Amino acid sequence: MRLATFATCALNQWAMDFEGNTNRIIASIREAKARGASYRIGPELEITGYGCEDHFLEHDTCQHAWECLAAIITSGATDGILCDIGLPVEHRGVRYNCRAFVHGRRIVLLRPKMDLANDGNYRETRWFATWKRPGAVESARLPPVVTAACEGQREAPIGDGVLDLLDSTLASETCEELFTPLAPHIRLALAGAEVVGNGSGSHHELRKLGTRVSLIQSATSKAGGVYLYANQKGCDGGRLYYDGCAMVVVNGQVVAQGAQFSVVDVEVVIATVDLDQVASYRGAISSLREQASASAPAPSSSFPSSSSSSSSLSVSPPIVRIPSDIPICHPPSTSLTLATSRPIQIHYHCPEEEIALGPACWLWDYLRRSGASGFLLPLSGGADSSSVAAIVGSMCQLVTKAIAGGNEQVQRDAERITGLQLAAGAAEEEQKRHAALLADRILHTIYMGTENSSQATKSRARQLASEIGAWHVDMCIDTVVAAVVALFVTVTGLRPRYKLDGGTSAENLALQNIQARLRMVLAFLFAQLLPWVRGHRGRGVGGPVEKEKEGKVGSRDDQVQRAAEGAEAEGGKGGEDIRGRGGDTRGRGGDTRGRGGDSRGRGGFLLVLGSANVDEALRGYLTKYDCSSADINPIGGISKTDLRRFLRWAAVHLGFPSLADVEAAPPTAELEPIREDYVQLDEVDMGMTYEELSLYGRLRKVVRCGPVAMFQHLCHEWRERLTVAQVAEKVKAFFRFYSMNRHKMTTLTPAYHAENYSPEDNRFDLRQFLYNVRWPWQFQRIDALVEEHEAAAAAAEGAREAGGA
């Protein structure tokens, strides 16, 4: 038996956060070693973070990546383990997306990506070139900082090679290559590679995981072998959430699987496999033997080399073998004491769970990395804003669960943001109380009613905030709306009227938009000042009142109050830390260092959450610069149909029962007067149903239909219920509204990407929108260069003075 223990990772990397990324890589390697692994693979471009986008065009980015790799090597983490690390590499003036194989203090291979992702959310050809010479390996010059770390190594092989190890053959492919028609893993298997690692940067979309898993299983079921899949996890500064799910597959069977969604920064998945089973599996497949025997001979030599001419029977170009005396198998004496990892049932989340978990983890990353102290959500009592509130509630539950499980990083982040010190080891019921206590500190909901609002939506908003534990505010904004209308009347001498009162469509729409846009202005006002308000109340000005009639200022949930009392009763374990705890948020809202903690809240600022769904964006059924304008939007890539299903699921599984009432209510904007014979309804206003909108969106983007092709498709789809003329009218109406409102996409709030027909207009200047404003690695490097220059200048001046004397 040739037993080997391998480690694959899911790391929560952050674009351009070289210091944090390096620390997480080192932590994963050390954990892999501690758990007996001989080979560790990490995500794609893990040193820089995958989402650097146009920062990859800067030479600094590649230079810093080499500096980080040198730091990883000099830390001693790579001693005694073969590490597969992702980074950008410039070679002969060309930038490649590479895997660096490092063992001890030596780089044994740089393997460039041979197929780049360049559709949908990906634009890799904007920044990288493919390695276009299959079977070619040559010498790459290493930068001085790496030469120093590698004890004098000046060159390393770069190209399409595999590692011919002491006891096995190991190869690599990267992310997109798995999805290509001529995937490298088939050629690698035919060339004798027993182990293939895939360091990936793959984002979450609803219902996508099954496609990824089936490709991996298919790869190893056809050709045998061990396949290790690593992936980034979390929000690395943009719209995407990378959904982890690191796994190990042997001969088509999954033997280890990591979490798809998690607030934990470093996850290492371990499996012990028998490589002799790979040889046995392959030997039993006749067609594989025939194709492998026809493969071109693989040269085994020192670099540089290039692909030799293939024989006429060759089905693939040769692959250069890089000889190495590195062992990856356990000593034979341990074969009877080690247990191999057995096949497991793959775990898939239902779409409702994906909505509850993915956007929640994305929000947590954004919150803790932005320097904000919480969220503000305009909560209307409707399906969309209630979905956002429930997702934040889910986030609080995930955080408290991680803390209860002993994750110190999550615990530190939660304490820094909220001032709360929640203890590890809390039981399930205690976790629920802690989640409500976190929600009280993090989530601020605000109901901004007008004369057009109903008591039903107001009650639903208040009840949901209570169930989650949010700090809730009810207020009427009629005076503000009236003031704006009065200003218009004063200037023009004309008073606009609703259509129900005889007004034109223009008047009716303008009056609705006034309400919507004022809610956006008020949301940002309260987001800036609510932390300050809560701080003053904590110092004796008065906290949020329980009864609406006592001022309509706010309401606290009894559950939150009980949670606070329970935490204090633990002897301080869950009690709040009232010391002023520093937090540098100089990138936004000024320098708020030294934010004071108190019994009601903390200083800082709140991120405004948007709640427009993907279907409304596609149709343009939103007011430009209304509450759809926010800092971030966790549901902007999710369809209304999926959100309705999520609400029903969350009412039971998240413990927020009022969501069932929210889902049952017909969607309404409540921007027009309510009369006995008239209630404004979204689907009536839009002239189409949300189900129809989802279908239009998929046909437009996924199936790539223009108006004619969509019409033809829907004539078949709807032939049982609509005439051809009716289908034509519906299609024309959709494209009319879509084209009229496309301009709104250019100002759409950055949203979580979850749907493959999202109409979001990505910016031309492709960089992340969330940065580590301290730039610690880069600024330290600048400081070091300044010091070197000053020292050299001082030495030169001293030499001149000595010469003059």
Side-chain angles (χ1 to χ4, degrees):
M1 300 177 73
R2 288 180 298 143
L3 300 186
T5 300
F6 299 140
T8 179
C9 306
L11 303 183
N12 195 335
Q13 304 298 72
W14 185 9
M16 302 298 287
D17 180 25
F18 293 98
E19 185 175 49
N21 294 346
T22 300
N23 290 337
R24 285 182 284 273
I25 292 169
I26 292 174
S28 71
I29 297 172
R30 287 177 173 161
E31 181 177 343
K33 288 169 63 176
R35 296 172 66 182
S38 58
Y39 168 56
R40 172 267 183 204
I41 181 172
E44 185 175 11
L45 295 167
E46 58 186 308
I47 289 181
T48 58
Y50 182 84
C52 295
E53 298 186 321
D54 277 7
H55 283 298
F56 285 125
L57 301 178
E58 301 162 4
H59 175 73
D60 283 8
T61 302
C62 287
Q63 181 60 34
H64 294 324
W66 280 121
E67 293 165 357
C68 293
L69 183 62
I72 293 168
I73 294 171
T74 56
S75 73
T78 58
D79 293 348
I81 186 172
L82 178 61
C83 294
D84 184 350
I85 300 171
L87 78 165
V89 171
E90 290 177 347
H91 171 61
R92 295 199 302 172
V94 180
R95 189 182 309 105
Y96 296 101
N97 178 345
C98 278
R99 307 299 304 179
F101 288 86
V102 183
H103 185 265
R105 305 301 172 97
R106 188 168 186 81
I107 297 175
V108 295
L109 175 64
L110 297 170
R111 198 275 189 180
K113 194 171 182 179
M114 301 178 70
D115 297 286
L116 297 175
N118 207 55
D119 53 13
N121 290 294
Y122 301 104
R123 294 169 175 82
E124 291 182 12
T125 59
R126 181 182 175 101
W127 312 300
F128 302 107
T130 58
W131 185 262
K132 296 179 176 64
R133 292 171 293 145
V137 175
E138 61 191 39
S139 173
R141 185 172 62 248
L142 300 177
V145 66
V146 176
T147 296
C150 293
E151 300 176 344
Q153 181 184 1
R154 296 180 180 274
E155 296 179 341
I158 183 171
D160 180 26
V162 301
L163 295 181
D164 203 7
L165 304 174
L166 188 65
D167 42 21
S168 186
T169 303
L170 186 146
S172 173
E173 65 180 7
T174 304
C175 198
E176 176 70 10
E177 295 173 337
L178 169 65
F179 295 83
T180 58
L182 293 176
H185 57 255
I186 298 298
R187 184 167 58 97
L188 294 169
L190 295 176
E194 295 180 312
V195 182
V196 176
N198 185 328
S200 186
S202 186
H203 70 281
H204 170 241
E205 277 183 4
L206 294 174
R207 308 171 179 90
K208 175 187 172 184
L209 180 61
T211 301
R212 188 191 304 161
V213 174
S214 66
L215 285 171
I216 297 173
Q217 288 184 296
S218 173
T220 57
S221 63
K222 285 192 296 185
V226 178
Y227 199 99
L228 288 91
Y229 179 83
N231 194 17
Q232 192 164 307
K233 180 170 61 178
C235 166
D236 80 338
R239 296 167 178 80
L240 303 184
Y241 178 83
Y242 300 91
D243 59 342
C245 203
M247 64 179 62
V248 181
V249 181
V250 180
N251 296 335
Q253 295 184 307
V254 177
V255 299
Q257 178 187 8
Q260 187 177 8
F261 308 104
S262 172
V263 295
V264 176
D265 280 353
V266 177
E267 181 187 29
V268 178
V269 176
I270 296 287
T272 297
V273 303
D274 182 4
L275 296 181
D276 282 345
Q277 289 185 0
V278 174
S280 177
Y281 185 90
R282 289 177 173 174
I285 303 175
S286 175
S287 59
L288 190 150
R289 294 196 305 269
E290 291 300 311
Q291 292 184 355
S293 65
S295 297
S300 179
S301 62
S302 300
F303 59 93
S305 67
S306 61
S307 56
S308 58
S309 59
S310 305
S311 70
S312 59
L313 297 177
S314 176
V315 296
S316 62
I319 299 174
V320 176
R321 294 176 177 268
I322 310 298
S324 172
D325 59 358
I326 301 170
I328 61 169
C329 293
H330 293 286
S333 59
T334 63
S335 62
L336 298 180
T337 59
L338 289 173
T340 57
S341 301
R342 310 307 301 165
I344 62 173
Q345 188 70 32
I346 303 170
H347 177 72
Y348 293 105
H349 294 286
C350 67
E352 294 80 5
E353 287 178 304
E354 292 185 77
I355 294 172
L357 299 174
C361 294
W362 185 74
L363 285 177
W364 177 247
D365 284 343
Y366 206 103
L367 175 63
R368 68 196 181 103
R369 288 171 170 170
S370 67
S373 51
F375 299 122
L376 183 131
L377 171 66
L379 183 59
S380 69
D384 294 335
S385 61
S386 296
S387 294
V388 174
I391 288 169
V392 178
S394 174
M395 181 200 79
C396 293
Q397 293 176 9
L398 287 171
V399 169
T400 54
K401 183 178 180 180
I403 293 173
N407 189 279
E408 296 179 357
Q409 179 62 56
V410 178
Q411 189 175 37
R412 288 192 298 268
D413 286 336
E415 181 180 349
R416 174 176 53 82
I417 294 167
T418 67
L420 297 171
Q421 296 177 327
L422 302 178
E428 185 173 346
E429 286 303 313
E430 192 65 23
Q431 290 178 40
K432 294 179 182 179
R433 291 194 291 270
H434 287 177
L437 186 57
L438 270 181
D440 172 62
R441 292 298 183 86
I442 289 174
L443 179 59
H444 303 72
T445 54
I446 180 168
Y447 181 87
M448 292 178 275
T450 68
E451 60 183 357
N452 302 321
S453 303
S454 66
Q455 183 61 42
T457 56
K458 181 179 180 179
S459 298
R460 290 200 298 266
R462 189 182 182 99
Q463 179 61 30
L464 177 59
S466 174
E467 291 169 359
I468 295 171
W471 201 91
H472 187 66
V473 175
D474 285 330
M475 69 178 183
C476 178
I477 65 171
D478 281 335
T479 55
V480 187
V481 175
V484 173
V485 173
L487 174 63
F488 181 85
V489 172
T490 300
V491 173
T492 66
L494 298 173
R495 179 176 293 277
R497 295 176 297 170
Y498 291 103
K499 66 180 181 182
L500 293 174
D501 300 322
T504 64
S505 295
E507 294 171 72
N508 190 66
L509 188 59
L511 288 173
Q512 293 183 69
N513 287 343
I514 289 170
Q515 301 166 64
R517 290 190 171 113
L518 285 173
R519 284 171 175 149
M520 183 272 289
V521 172
L522 292 171
F524 277 95
L525 172 66
F526 275 76
Q528 285 185 295
L529 293 181
L530 267 186
W532 169 74
V533 169
R534 296 188 70 179
H536 273 280
R537 295 189 189 285
R539 288 189 285 272
V541 180
V545 294
E546 290 290 330
K547 298 180 181 179
E548 183 181 338
K549 66 182 181 180
E550 294 180 16
K552 297 184 180 180
V553 178
S555 60
R556 279 181 75 94
D557 180 12
D558 290 340
Q559 183 184 14
V560 172
Q561 189 62 46
R562 289 195 301 271
E565 293 168 355
E568 291 166 2
E570 292 180 9
K573 288 182 181 180
E576 56 203 301
D577 186 348
I578 62 172
R579 296 168 292 174
R581 310 187 76 83
D584 186 357
T585 61
R586 283 172 291 178
R588 180 187 175 94
D591 187 352
T592 60
R593 287 173 294 177
R595 294 178 289 177
D598 51 64
S599 62
R600 294 292 186 189
R602 295 162 55 81
F605 65 93
L606 306 177
L607 293 167
V608 179
L609 297 180
S611 57
N613 63 67
V614 71
D615 294 325
E616 291 172 347
L618 177 68
R619 162 62 171 74
Y621 186 64
L622 50 89
T623 300
K624 201 172 186 178
Y625 304 117
D626 67 349
C627 278
S628 66
S629 297
D631 288 308
I632 50 176
N633 180 359
I635 66 166
I638 304 175
S639 72
K640 189 79 165 190
T641 303
D642 280 333
L643 288 174
R644 300 287 294 263
R645 295 192 186 105
F646 164 71
L647 289 172
R648 293 193 294 269
W649 179 91
V652 177
H653 295 88
L654 294 182
F656 309 141
S658 65
L659 292 176
D661 295 331
V662 173
E663 191 278 330
T668 172
E670 291 194 335
L671 294 172
E672 295 182 86
I674 300 174
R675 302 288 167 79
E676 288 185 4
D677 59 346
Y678 179 78
V679 175
Q680 185 181 23
L681 297 175
D682 288 355
E683 292 184 330
V684 175
D685 270 3
M686 292 190 299
M688 56 193 72
T689 66
Y690 283 108
E691 185 177 355
E692 290 170 346
L693 261 176
S694 293
L695 182 55
Y696 295 147
R698 288 189 170 86
L699 290 175
R700 179 193 70 92
K701 177 67 175 175
V702 182
V703 186
R704 302 170 184 85
C705 288
V708 175
M710 184 181 294
F711 164 69
Q712 292 171 328
H713 185 98
L714 290 177
C715 280
H716 293 281
E717 183 83 10
W718 290 342
R719 66 182 182 276
E720 300 294 334
R721 64 184 186 91
L722 293 176
T723 67
V724 171
Q726 289 172 324
V727 173
E729 288 304 313
K730 282 183 172 290
V731 171
K732 289 187 288 184
F734 164 71
F735 275 99
R736 183 169 62 251
F737 285 116
Y738 164 75
S739 58
M740 285 169 48
N741 292 298
R742 179 65 188 176
H743 65 95
K744 296 179 181 178
M745 299 305 97
T746 63
T747 60
L748 205 62
T749 296
Y752 181 98
H753 179 88
E755 191 56 79
N756 60 2
Y757 67 91
S758 173
E760 184 171 30
D761 178 74
N762 288 336
R763 280 50 172 175
F764 176 76
D765 187 29
L766 295 175
R767 286 173 170 80
Q768 78 229 48
F769 46 79
L770 175 62
Y771 284 87
N772 184 341
V773 297
R774 296 183 295 109
W775 299 81
W777 189 280
Q778 296 90 327
F779 288 1
Q780 289 171 16
R781 180 61 182 152
I782 292 172
D783 293 340
L785 293 173
V786 171
E787 291 175 5
E788 291 172 9
H789 172 76
E790 290 178 346
E797 181 63 25
R800 282 195 296 270
E801 291 177 357

